[in-house]
Amino acid sequence: LGFHFLTALIAKITSWDALTAIRLVGPALLVLPIPVLYFVGKRLFTSAAGAFAAAAWAFLALAPVRAYGDGNYPNMLAGGVLLPLGLLFLLESIRQPNRKTIISTAAIFVAVAFVHHLAFVY
């Protein structure tokens, strides 16, 4: 539901039809996790670890089978973008347990479940 809502919102904002939005969101979902994984890897470990994670994703995720598999877009958004951010927020809420980090962590994981249920099981 969350992926379709996001795609419909993008279509509405850009005045595209829904099929055009889905067709153009797919390639963006291949590239979007690269800076996210760099950011998360840098925050959790070092810049080198973030660069390695981003480079590994770039080589693994840009395969056409992954990109254009039937129904894979919600998983790419949840597993490639939201889940790494959720794990970062979870670690931050363990390190500094305050209201802001706990609410942020819960919101990210609710968003993961809202976008793709199977990715939430990860």
Side-chain angles (χ1 to χ4, degrees):
L1 181 61
F3 173 76
H4 297 291
F5 178 75
L6 181 66
T7 306
L9 183 66
I10 290 170
K12 186 78 168 169
I13 289 171
T14 59
S15 299
W16 295 337
D17 59 284
L19 291 177
T20 301
I22 288 177
R23 184 176 55 85
L24 296 176
V25 164
L29 289 176
L30 292 174
V31 178
L32 186 61
I34 294 171
V36 169
L37 287 173
Y38 174 74
F39 173 73
V40 170
K42 181 179 170 186
R43 291 283 307 266
L44 292 179
F45 305 107
T46 64
S47 294
F52 179 76
W57 178 270
F59 285 108
L60 295 174
L62 297 181
V65 172
R66 174 154 171 78
Y68 299 106
D70 184 35
N72 204 22
Y73 293 152
N75 184 38
M76 290 166 56
L77 177 61
V81 176
L82 296 176
L83 203 55
L85 289 174
L87 293 175
L88 176 65
F89 280 113
L90 180 63
L91 183 62
E92 289 295 321
S93 68
I94 291 170
R95 286 181 182 164
Q96 300 172 356
N98 58 40
R99 185 180 304 223
K100 179 183 174 187
T101 59
I102 292 170
I103 290 173
S104 298
T105 302
I108 288 287
F109 282 115
V110 166
V112 169
F114 189 61
V115 170
H116 193 257
H117 296 112
L118 183 59
F120 186 69
V121 175
Y122 291 166

